[in-house]
Amino acid sequence: MIEQSKIHEIKGVGEKTEKLFAKLGIYTVGDLLRYYPRNYDVYEEAVPIAEVEDGRTVTVTGMIFGRVQVGGSRNLQVTTIHVKDLTGTIKAVWFRMPFLKNTLAGGGQITLRGRAVNRRDGLVLEHPEIFYPSEKYEEKLHTLQPIYNLTAGLTNNAISKAVKQVVESLDLTKEHLPEEIRLHYQLAEYNYAIRGIHFPEDKEVFYHARERLVFEEFLQFILAIRKLKDSNSRMDNEYVIPLDLRTEEFQKALPFELTGAQQNVWREIQQDMASEHAMSRLVQGDVGSGKTIVAVLALLNTALKGYQAAMMAPTEVLARQHYESITSLFEAYNIPIKVVLLTGSMTAKEKRRAYDRIECGLAKIIVGTHALIQDAVYYDNLALVVTDEQHRFGVKQRESFAKKGGVPHVLVMSATPIPRTLAIILYGDLDISVIDELPANRLPIKNCVVDTSYRQTAYTFMKKQIAEGRQCYIICPMVEESEAMEAENVTDYSRMLQEEMGTQIVVDHLHGKMKQAAKDEIMERFGRNEIQILVSTTVIEVGIDVPNATVMMIENAERFGLAQLHQLRGRVGRGKYQSYCIFMTGSKAKETKKRLEILNKTNDGFKIASEDLKLRGPGDLFGIRQSGLMDFGLGDIYQDAAILQKANEAAEWLLKNNPEYVQQIPDYEGTSSVII
Ligand code: ADP
Ligand code: MG
């Protein structure tokens, strides 16, 4: 077997399983090796029974106390035992496993590992794994079992077995990193890292393995970007655009005054567009800081000087939202600039009309999705491209605009603040502006952290808000096992909630498995208040501005990274109404409260993420991503900021001292946010 071998060469992987693997994007043995676990199950030391908490997976060791009972109905036989240690007694139950009675009848010491659930008569371990006699647990102690993302029909065990086979039979001794780099940064060997990421013997092995793989991922990325940058150094300004008086008048006539930060950024943009070089600017501003109006000023100014300007958004909903707010602004201020919408879901006829208007130059401002860069679109004289919340705007995109004419100015808006040092590494040679001030008229969002017993009260509160004309979001619990189950979960939740809310209130849902068009339709209906409660996974995270929504309730808030919670919270508090964010937590309400206090102290996404990591300590690293900002396989730019710095340093060194290595790095094809 080699890395390029097809997956069916693995023993036990037949045609059917091959298809299931394909669903996960795994075609070759190499794909499987890079299919890293999304989490690990850790076999911890047993805890005293008195310390067992609701909702946690724990191990307890004690004596079987009293008789083994088999009860329940014929269809659902329940086997029950009680286990006692020096601190207390706990009940354990198994369903449909009456034969356990014989096994456990001998009594004596037993170790159980499972989830504790609060039932009517106290805490119960449901379906715990049995180690009997207790000594059997010692072999497992401290080991980590990989948990993979699954798809229906493919079990965790099946994936784990296939990976094990590959790891054992493949020659993994080939090293990808230059030896001098590996040694200098004390990184694990490839061989060790691959084994260690899938089957770590303990946490130390895991950290060491992960560090190496993240480093390599970052290094490849940085080198690929640097290669591109060299072939792409600062471009001349082909569209010199000074400030038009009418833009200034428009700005002065707005119903609000720009904040100081908005004014600064707007000034920087003006300078760029009138300078020697084409603009490449990133505008970072927290959620709700008012990035859109700054972009609108740039679009308008470009159009007033006779050029075209485009604004690209990641979703149809966001594109439509921008289109509508720009057209109504222009109408209100009598601005005779033609604005055109172009999205993938428009009919062929509508698109044709848009293409014609763009090509002949009638359309001055074009707002849309990725449809803006399809081959069929010919611009007349495109001088500015603004991308909003568009983390996937890459080099290729700029090139495809440039193919249609000169090199346009590029302005990128992002709500995910990262420190300048990191931004320079990740975005290359880009100028960065920061809007670090919120408009003054905002009412701060009221936050509360509650446990699940508060759920009914929360629903009642939502009914009240809806009666006043407002709308609500609910973010559903994440599901560990798979995205498919997550989708199911959201659907069920929304059905349940609809019953709860009655016929006067429309509840609908959104999840990552839905087609883009379906998602967009739901968002549009929500935007028009045809849906009052939107139940969703975190796909709702980016950009949406529905100022009428005032309640954000997040189930299982303790499972999210704080930076992500911050983004989610930013969906409310965008209008003139008082908004509320309800963080619903499981058993760890106290800890969560402490973590969430950070959210009240600062609005700086990066600070939030790093404080969060500090608080939880390195023991809790896996499983929680701070942000989905860039699609690295393992690396997380917040969590792994230190590794990123090192990889950057290594990249500098390699560029100087090992050009052969740099040469063989594959060209950048990715979709991460690279702007050149
Ligand atoms: P984001 O930066 O998250 O994209 P938006 O640009 O959508 O935020 O702005 C959020 C809301 O704030 C909009 O409704 C916008 O009209 C309003 N807004 C923008 N700038 C100001 C300001 N200087 N004063 C008051 N409201 C503003
Ligand atoms: Mg925005």
Side-chain angles (χ1 to χ4, degrees), residues 288 291-292 318 321-322 388-389 413 415 543-545 571 574:
K291 294 182 289 293
T292 316
L318 215 49
Q321 189 178 288
H322 285 322
D388 186 35
E389 305 291 354
M413 325 290 271
I544 290 304
D545 187 33
R571 295 309 109 219
R574 303 173 74 84

Side-chain angles (χ1 to χ4, degrees), residues 538-571:
T538 53
V539 294
I540 201 74
E541 206 174 333
V542 159
I544 290 304
D545 187 33
V546 181
N548 192 47
T550 52
V551 181
M552 164 63 74
M553 172 169 136
I554 302 168
E555 293 271 2
N556 284 132
E558 74 277 9
R559 298 204 197 158
F560 292 89
L562 284 190
Q564 199 175 18
L565 287 178
H566 174 64
Q567 279 290 321
L568 289 168
R569 177 176 65 175
R571 295 309 109 219

